[in-house]
Amino acid sequence: MRLQVLGCSGGIGPGAKTTSLLLDGDILIDAGTGICDLEWDQLQGIRHVFLTHSHMDHVFGIPLLIDALFVHLDTPLTIHALPETIEALGAHIFNWSIWPDFRQLPEPERSLLRFSPMAPGEVRTVGDRSIEMIEVQHAVPAAGFLVSDGEGARFCFSGDTGVNDSLWPALNRVDRLDLLIIECAFADELAELAGAAGHYVPATLVTDLARLDGDARIAITHIKPGQEEQIMAQLAEAAPWRGFHRLRAGDVFTL
Ligand SMILES: [Zn+2]
Ligand SMILES: [Zn+2]
């Protein structure tokens, strides 16, 4: 698998783009502002989008992506997400007011935008990639994805989450985990805000990481712009034995 980080910041700012990962050219995981830099042929290669949750920094690109692809598509673009996420997109974006309801276009029975509800624990297969949805804890219903290929390589993307009891057992069930991309949005000083908003801070993340078996590489994502160095320093201080990688737009993982 080839996993390209298009955006991984917790907000916008100079050089900061929000969450979007491109897997093997045809699967997008979240569709934040990171998709804006894709080349035209890369945009046209996308056939599936797996959404972690409904927040703007993760769904920003969906309306513009389907608009850009619409006249070129011969097969639908499929959005895989929790039912609550799909409901929010339908009510608040694809409502003819903010954006046309592409689920009805060109006609409802041959729509080129398909929403496919997915439940935690459910596995979708796209080619030789299997994508399992895992429940996490955030301010709105949210999920992470555990992705593996036919050769057994496996990574997990947490999406947005705070302390939770569902991600760790799900990861410990598998026999191999090569990479865990996990969020740590705020610095320890903002622990109260992070708790209320459903995000990790270094102290809570390091505590939860003690529940993870194995020796997966750990990459930190969704850092709020301006807190990057502080958060990475706090993580390193709390768990000096772990080599935390600060995820950056442009990173490519070959798994
Ligand atoms: Zn969020
Ligand atoms: Zn977010």
Side-chain angles (χ1 to χ4, degrees), residues 10 12 14 17-18 23 27 34 52 54 75 89-90 94-95 105 108 114 120 154 199 205 229 238:
I12 59 165
K17 299 163 208 166
T18 73
L23 176 62
I27 296 174
T52 58
S54 59
T75 56
L89 288 172
F94 294 101
N95 55 12
L105 301 174
R114 184 181 295 162
R154 189 178 282 111
H199 288 291
L205 177 56
E229 287 179 14

Side-chain angles (χ1 to χ4, degrees), residues 31-76:
T33 66
I35 73 162
C36 297
D37 292 338
L38 285 174
E39 301 290 339
W40 180 236
D41 61 330
Q42 291 179 300
L43 284 172
Q44 287 189 308
I46 297 167
R47 281 295 174 276
H48 296 268
V49 184
F50 287 79
L51 290 179
T52 58
H53 65 300
S54 59
H55 278 161
M56 179 62 90
D57 54 320
H58 301 255
V59 305
F60 166 91
I62 300 284
L64 296 168
L65 178 64
I66 184 61
D67 182 63
L69 295 180
F70 189 72
V71 297
H72 304 279
L73 284 174
D74 41 22
T75 56

Side-chain angles (χ1 to χ4, degrees), residues 32-168:
T33 66
I35 73 162
C36 297
D37 292 338
L38 285 174
E39 301 290 339
W40 180 236
D41 61 330
Q42 291 179 300
L43 284 172
Q44 287 189 308
I46 297 167
R47 281 295 174 276
H48 296 268
V49 184
F50 287 79
L51 290 179
T52 58
H53 65 300
S54 59
H55 278 161
M56 179 62 90
D57 54 320
H58 301 255
V59 305
F60 166 91
I62 300 284
L64 296 168
L65 178 64
I66 184 61
D67 182 63
L69 295 180
F70 189 72
V71 297
H72 304 279
L73 284 174
D74 41 22
T75 56
L77 177 72
T78 304
I79 313 291
H80 308 261
L82 287 165
E84 295 91 337
T85 304
I86 292 172
E87 198 179 312
L89 288 172
H92 303 297
I93 294 181
F94 294 101
N95 55 12
W96 296 109
S97 177
I98 296 295
W99 207 241
D101 187 357
F102 276 87
R103 295 169 297 179
Q104 314 292 327
L105 301 174
E107 290 154 13
E109 56 276 11
R110 54 185 191 96
S111 165
L112 289 172
L113 178 64
R114 184 181 295 162
F115 285 161
S116 184
M118 198 171 173
E122 195 175 336
V123 180
R124 292 274 154 85
T125 303
V126 181
D128 72 341
R129 284 78 37 94
S130 296
I131 299 113
E132 178 182 349
M133 177 178 268
I134 301 173
E135 183 182 14
V136 293
Q137 287 297 318
H138 191 42
V140 295
F145 293 107
L146 183 60
V147 183
S148 59
D149 70 6
E151 286 158 23
R154 189 178 282 111
F155 72 91
C156 176
F157 174 66
S158 72
D160 287 9
T161 183
V163 172
N164 71 85
D165 291 321
S166 42
L167 181 63
W168 311 103

